[in-house]
Amino acid sequence: MSSSPTRRQVVRLFPVPSRSRPLEGLYLNEDLPAPVAGVPALVYANFVTSLDGRVAVSDNGGTSRLPEGLTNSRDWRLFQELQAHADCLVSHGGYLRALAAGRLGNILQVGTGDGSGDIVRWRAAQGMTGQPAVAIVSASLDMPIPDSLSTYAQPVHVLTTTTANEDRRAALEEAGYDVVATGAGPWVRARDAVEALAERGYRRLYLQTGPRMLESALRERVLARLYLTISHRLVGGDRFDTMVRGDAPLGVAGRLRLSALYLDEAPDLDCGQLFARFDTA
Ligand SMILES: NC(=O)c1ccc[n+]([C@@H]2O[C@H](COP(=O)([O-])OP(=O)(O)OC[C@H]3O[C@@H](n4cnc5c(N)ncnc54)[C@H](OP(=O)(O)O)[C@@H]3O)[C@@H](O)[C@H]2O)c1
């Protein structure tokens, strides 16, 4: 990474007064909020979106993928800083299938990329485990468990429904994974997932999941904080995903309060981006 000041800085726009801040450490050195009242663990999530609200686009074959250019090394750095705070990363079947197919990169370990040694040291200084545990949310249980989880000795918890396929469930248990049927389904409810993970001792859950879990976490009022990277681009196209779906509007469950906003106009970005932080309480 170049050491030019513009390359390293972002501008805090809110809270005022505005001022420059180093990108590195922006999320690592901040305090995370308390869990939502009545929720036994802190739940936070991160998304990256275009100005027209696209988090993914689908090609003609129906395969969903991140829009071109939406993510970059600076957003990735902050994503890893958010991972650093977690004692459990929450992933899902859809991600594990995309990972196995090579459509997405590996985001199941913390601080393993170039230039992220400080994240590893930061976790050690906090007395945290080298790697967080990983929870996998899946209704179908039709996904491969990546080898990296055993390579890094991460505890793995599979959260599913009582109607999940029994053979797949038995195979996962036989392979030594903790499989938890959290409810009747058809999907795992975020609140049930959080309670199951809190029972296992986890207190900081980073949702690395998609629209379905985010919707559930908002509706069931377990999400404390949403981090959002807003890329200064319009993506367009008819086939796309936004951050939440669902049959009904979210209503008050969708109301958030901005707690920080940073502008990133680094010269090597093909367009700028905002890093926004919203709290639900
Ligand atoms: N831009 C961003 O920040 C961002 C963030 C997340 C995702 N995305 C993209 O958006 C697109 C759609 O996201 P997605 O694949 O995450 O969609 P999703 O519909 O939220 O989840 C995909 C699959 O994961 C499993 N799953 C998720 N939530 C579950 C729940 N509550 N209970 C049980 N199983 C659950 C289900 O598959 P099984 O039951 O078969 O396992 C589900 O079909 C993808 O292209 C993704 O890469 C973008």
Side-chain angles (χ1 to χ4, degrees), residues 47 49 52-56 210-212 214 240-245:
F47 273 79
T49 180
D52 50 349
R54 269 81 169 153
V55 301
R212 192 172 298 286
L214 182 67
F240 61 88
D241 253 306
T242 68
M243 272 182 283
V244 283
R245 308 185 196 114

Side-chain angles (χ1 to χ4, degrees), residues 48 55-56 64 92 94 97 137-140 188 209-213 245:
V48 52
V55 301
S64 177
H92 65 11
R97 290 189 290 274
V137 176
S138 173
S140 73
V188 174
T209 44
R212 192 172 298 286
M213 272 302 270
R245 308 185 196 114

Side-chain angles (χ1 to χ4, degrees), residues 27-28 30 32 44 81-87 122 128 204:
Y27 289 165
L28 198 59
E30 74 172 17
L32 265 60
Y44 61 105
E81 292 193 5
L82 292 177
Q83 285 188 315
H85 290 275
D87 54 14
W122 183 88
M128 298 174 78
R204 287 182 162 205

Side-chain angles (χ1 to χ4, degrees), residues 8-268:
R8 284 189 279 111
Q9 303 287 317
V10 295
V11 180
R12 190 184 73 192
L13 303 176
F14 182 82
V16 287
S18 167
R19 67 180 172 97
S20 285
R21 293 275 312 270
L23 175 87
E24 289 192 13
L26 199 65
Y27 289 165
L28 198 59
N29 297 323
E30 74 172 17
D31 291 331
L32 265 60
V36 173
V39 177
L42 168 67
V43 181
Y44 61 105
N46 172 70
F47 273 79
V48 52
T49 180
S50 65
L51 288 175
D52 50 349
R54 269 81 169 153
V55 301
V57 290
S58 299
D59 59 26
N60 286 335
T63 306
S64 177
R65 58 182 165 75
L66 293 174
E68 195 77 29
L70 202 63
T71 56
N72 53 67
S73 62
R74 296 168 71 80
D75 167 63
W76 170 234
R77 166 72 199 189
L78 294 186
F79 180 89
Q80 293 178 90
E81 292 193 5
L82 292 177
Q83 285 188 315
H85 290 275
D87 54 14
C88 183
L89 306 176
V90 181
S91 186
H92 65 11
Y95 169 73
L96 294 191
R97 290 189 290 274
L99 177 66
R103 291 197 305 276
L104 290 174
N106 184 7
I107 53 169
L108 297 173
Q109 284 81 39
V110 178
T112 52
D114 287 347
S116 54
D118 62 318
I119 291 179
V120 175
R121 290 190 292 278
W122 183 88
R123 279 182 69 91
Q126 313 300 311
M128 298 174 78
T129 57
Q131 291 296 334
V134 172
I136 300 160
V137 176
S138 173
S140 73
L141 296 182
D142 186 12
M143 73 271 167
I145 307 288
D147 292 341
S148 67
L149 297 177
S150 57
T151 304
Y152 287 91
Q154 290 163 280
V156 175
H157 307 281
V158 179
L159 307 180
T160 190
T161 67
T162 49
T163 52
N165 179 292
E166 280 177 21
D167 292 341
R168 289 187 188 138
R169 181 182 172 148
L172 286 163
E173 283 171 339
E174 215 162 285
Y177 300 114
D178 173 36
V179 183
V180 195
T182 57
W187 302 102
V188 174
R189 295 175 70 242
R191 188 172 279 269
D192 294 340
V194 173
E195 283 170 3
L197 293 171
E199 274 168 24
R200 284 157 178 75
Y202 302 112
R203 292 290 174 266
R204 287 182 162 205
L205 311 178
Y206 184 23
L207 293 190
Q208 301 187 169
T209 44
R212 192 172 298 286
M213 272 302 270
L214 182 67
E215 182 202 342
S216 180
L218 286 164
R219 281 195 200 284
E220 290 148 30
R221 307 294 183 95
V222 299
L223 188 81
R225 181 168 281 182
L226 175 66
Y227 291 89
L228 193 59
T229 297
I230 304 161
S231 176
H232 298 174
R233 74 184 71 223
L234 296 140
V235 168
D238 286 336
R239 286 180 293 268
F240 61 88
D241 253 306
T242 68
M243 272 182 283
V244 283
R245 308 185 196 114
D247 295 337
L250 284 168
V252 290
R255 286 187 201 156
L256 307 175
R257 186 180 296 277
L258 182 73
S259 57
L261 183 66
Y262 302 95
L263 172 66
D264 183 17
E265 292 278 15
D268 54 343

